[in-house]
Amino acid sequence: MTIKKIEVISCAEKAPKAIGPYSLAAKVDDLVFVAGQLGLDDQSGLLIEGGIQAQTEKALQNITAILQAVGTDISQVVKTTVFLQNMKDFNAMNEVYARFFPENPPARSTVEVAALPKGGLVEIEVIAIAK
């Protein structure tokens, strides 16, 4: 397979800026790869308060904003990876996650990690189809 076009997305309205030397997303031909998103406030760049459910909601809102910036939407997500600081938060995270993917949810991996940037409780990355 030959890659025809790569587009890097470094900022998106209503999504926080990257907290390191990476792009928010990369569009490669018909796929969009969104970097892991924490529950960061898009204005302050700080983690929002409210625990795992609030951070999951905000992370998915940030992903939605990034996908919109590249001309697609969350309904086009085909794969997610969820990183949890504590697997005991799985059910609470899953409640919020299910609201964003009510029908035909994407394939998903969920793993517990030792720590996340900024002390986050959850980080989510996605792969979506470009429209």
Side-chain angles (χ1 to χ4, degrees):
M1 178 174 130
T2 303
I3 295 174
K4 296 174 187 150
K5 183 178 180 186
I6 297 175
E7 177 183 349
V8 175
I9 292 68
S10 58
C11 64
E13 189 176 339
K14 298 184 182 178
K17 294 180 176 164
I19 59 174
Y22 61 89
S23 299
L24 292 178
K27 183 177 176 185
V28 181
D29 294 337
D30 294 333
L31 294 175
V32 179
F33 299 84
V34 178
Q37 295 298 303
L38 299 163
L40 298 178
D41 178 78
D42 51 298
Q43 297 299 310
S44 70
L46 300 174
L47 276 174
I48 63 165
E49 295 182 12
I52 187 66
Q53 289 189 317
Q55 287 187 24
T56 300
E57 177 99 18
K58 188 60 178 158
L60 288 165
Q61 289 172 351
N62 293 340
I63 288 167
T64 299
I66 294 165
L67 290 171
Q68 289 173 343
V70 295
T72 193
D73 60 62
I74 203 152
S75 72
Q76 300 301 304
V77 171
V78 295
K79 171 70 170 84
T80 67
T81 305
V82 178
F83 303 94
L84 290 174
Q85 193 273 328
N86 189 330
M87 195 57 80
K88 291 179 183 176
D89 289 333
F90 180 85
N91 289 336
M93 174 279 298
N94 209 42
E95 280 182 34
V96 176
Y97 181 97
R99 290 197 311 260
F100 282 79
F101 302 104
E103 295 181 23
N104 303 314
R108 177 178 79 186
S109 300
T110 304
V111 296
E112 182 179 74
V113 296
L116 289 167
K118 295 198 170 199
L121 300 175
V122 62
E123 182 173 5
I124 303 171
E125 65 181 25
V126 305
I127 300 171
I129 304 296
K131 286 186 174 180

